Amino acid sequence: MLTDLDATFAALADPTRRAILARLATGEATVTELAVPFAMSQPAVSKHLRVLERAGLVSRGRDAQRRPCRLEAGPLREATAWLAAYRDHWAERYQRLDALLDELCSTEEGRDGAGGTAR
């Protein structure tokens, strides 16, 4: 069984689905409207939308004959929160590496300045 986070990342793994989400971030769109920039059929776009719906990233409404799709940002917030812990971890590692490199450069400069010979 996939967890919600697994479903989110699986849905985001495909560049077409990411492009669909980017388009929906600007506002609602129908399947026909979403298919325009892609070299694929409406049924193919519908398959991508089903994956996004199962992940909770997209919902479909009904407006008379129109069935607009809309972005649901909740799962993206959860994925961002999960990634934030790793971002913080690596930021701390890079800060420690920077400090070590600064220390090594200072030590090297001190060595070169104190006992160096004139050229």
Side-chain angles (χ1 to χ4, degrees):
M1 181 178 110
L2 285 179
T3 67
D4 292 343
L5 195 57
D6 291 339
T8 299
F9 283 118
L12 293 173
D14 185 273
T16 300
R17 291 192 287 268
R18 290 192 306 271
I20 289 170
L21 290 177
R23 166 53 188 86
L24 291 175
T26 66
E28 293 181 350
T30 64
V31 175
T32 304
E33 293 166 341
L34 291 171
V36 169
F38 302 107
M40 65 176 67
S41 65
Q42 287 182 13
V45 171
S46 290
K47 286 183 181 181
H48 283 293
L49 285 169
R50 279 194 293 280
V51 172
L52 292 167
E53 281 183 289
R54 281 195 300 271
L57 293 164
V58 169
S59 64
R60 293 194 209 201
R62 183 173 292 273
D63 181 17
Q65 297 299 322
R66 196 168 175 267
R67 298 240 1 202
C69 301
R70 68 185 58 82
L71 175 68
E72 299 294 339
L76 293 174
R77 281 192 292 275
E78 292 169 18
T80 300
W82 185 84
L83 290 169
Y86 291 95
R87 183 183 56 233
D88 294 346
H89 169 78
W90 286 109
E92 180 185 322
R93 293 280 180 126
Y94 284 126
Q95 288 172 354
R96 288 180 16 208
L97 178 60
D98 283 344
L100 177 61
L101 291 174
D102 287 344
E103 182 181 319
L104 290 173
C105 286
S106 298
T107 303
E108 203 54 41
E109 287 172 3
R111 217 178 287 159
D112 288 345
T117 59
R119 292 184 188 186

